[in-house]
Amino acid sequence: MDSFLSEAYLNMLATDLDGTLVGDDRACDELLEYLNMNYHRFGLTYITGRHFNSVMQLIAETALPRPDILVTDVGTVIHVLDRNSEKRSDAYSIDETWQKLMQKDWQPENIDEIGKQIAGLTRQQLPDNCRVSYYADSSLTANKFEDALVSANIKHTFVFSSGRDIDILPADGGKGQALRYIVRHYCQPQARILAAGDSGNDREMILSGFPAVIVGNARPELASIEESQLIYKATGKYAAGILEGWHHFYG
Ligand code: GLC
Ligand code: MG
């Protein structure tokens, strides 16, 4: 990584998409324009629950910029943009080092077997097994599932969001772990970092030890997180909340 370090980012926004960066187009444009105009070596990172093609579809539909780093599948895959690539369609490459770290002890088939035995779960149809995700009919069902995985001794990270979505990730995965890895490998040591989110799958990222903003429209599931020196609760919604958070930490 040494040769890369001179290129490393000095400023980074690591933001969730749905309900955070995406939701108010005008505020989104204002935020990105402000950051691009005022900060050089600025790295735009999306950290989302969506899978890669789903993000690409969203980018096409909403005219979002393509990020420098794209973390998909709730923090289980890191895609890095190759700025020199002339082929726009396959300009992202997967960070294989992270991928290998992540897949250690990963047992998607065993998780699926247990999931099948629990009423009230519907498996999400996804293109691969880098995570195993479900829709749950209640938080009780989610709790039952989590207990069953623990009893079966299956190492995992359990993420419950929006009162409905369950993501089972490899134990070392998740938005928080992915962000720590990215900061370590792609940012300068003194870099300004801001993480931003609105729902349950952002919890680990918000608590990951970097300055973080919870946007004003966040779901009640984040209400239990207390404000602190590193955590700011914005009143502004969506991207306006992110900009408010950036000003809070960096003036
Ligand atoms: C997004 C993804 C879904 C995931 C959810 C929560 O909605 O599309 O697969 O379960 O985020 O992380
Ligand atoms: Mg969200």
Side-chain angles (χ1 to χ4, degrees):
M1 271 295 157
D2 284 354
S3 59
F4 180 80
L5 264 185
S6 58
E7 299 289 312
Y9 300 111
L10 258 178
N11 302 281
M12 178 171 284
L13 171 65
T15 180
D16 170 54
L17 291 175
D18 299 271
T20 306
L21 185 65
V22 177
D24 177 343
D25 292 350
R26 182 190 285 212
C28 180
D29 289 347
E30 266 172 36
L31 166 73
L32 295 175
E33 200 181 305
Y34 173 81
L35 292 173
N36 282 319
M37 298 262 296
N38 290 282
Y39 295 92
H40 72 296
R41 291 220 199 136
F42 173 70
L44 180 61
T45 296
Y46 298 161
I47 307 195
T48 174
R50 290 176 179 244
H51 61 78
F52 186 81
N53 287 341
S54 166
V55 180
M56 288 302 141
Q57 201 179 332
L58 181 72
I59 285 177
E61 281 165 5
T62 56
L64 277 176
R66 283 152 28 106
D68 300 285
I69 299 179
L70 170 57
V71 184
T72 61
D73 297 282
V74 205
T76 59
V77 191
I78 297 176
H79 310 259
V80 181
L81 184 64
D82 176 3
R83 286 280 177 204
N84 297 322
S85 172
E86 284 172 10
K87 285 191 270 164
R88 288 181 66 85
S89 59
D90 53 359
Y92 283 95
S93 47
I94 289 180
D95 184 320
E96 298 290 348
T97 311
W98 165 259
Q99 212 57 28
K100 283 196 191 102
L101 275 174
M102 281 283 311
Q103 301 286 342
K104 197 171 51 146
D105 289 330
W106 179 226
Q107 306 172 41
E109 292 82 11
N110 295 345
I111 293 166
D112 184 52
E113 280 310 310
I114 292 175
K116 277 182 186 150
Q117 292 160 30
I118 293 173
L121 287 178
T122 309
R123 180 121 186 225
Q124 293 186 26
Q125 295 305 312
L126 293 168
D128 56 46
N129 268 350
C130 61
R131 60 168 161 136
V132 185
S133 298
Y134 298 81
Y135 300 118
D137 63 355
S138 69
S139 58
L140 214 73
T141 301
N143 292 343
K144 251 191 228 165
F145 190 17
E146 188 171 12
D147 289 347
L149 292 171
V150 171
S151 305
N153 240 331
I154 294 179
K155 285 197 184 143
H156 69 281
T157 293
F158 193 94
V159 183
F160 187 44
S161 317
S162 313
R164 184 190 76 153
D165 302 328
I166 296 177
D167 301 299
I168 317 289
L169 318 174
D172 292 334
K175 291 188 175 194
Q177 307 263 36
L179 179 57
R180 280 198 206 97
Y181 177 89
I182 288 167
V183 170
R184 202 160 60 237
H185 291 265
Y186 295 96
C187 292
Q188 302 214 14
Q190 73 279 29
R192 293 183 189 87
I193 313 285
L194 181 68
D198 77 305
S199 83
N201 73 4
D202 301 312
R203 173 176 288 272
E204 292 304 317
M205 172 166 80
I206 288 160
L207 297 173
S208 64
F210 302 107
V213 58
I214 299 175
V215 291
N217 57 291
R219 298 191 55 101
E221 63 216 29
L222 294 187
S224 62
I225 299 181
E226 306 227 343
E227 269 197 311
S228 69
Q229 268 193 317
L230 287 174
I231 298 173
Y232 176 71
K233 291 187 170 177
T235 47
K237 295 178 179 173
Y238 307 104
I242 304 177
L243 186 56
E244 192 185 317
W246 188 277
H247 287 316
H248 171 80
F249 289 107
Y250 303 119

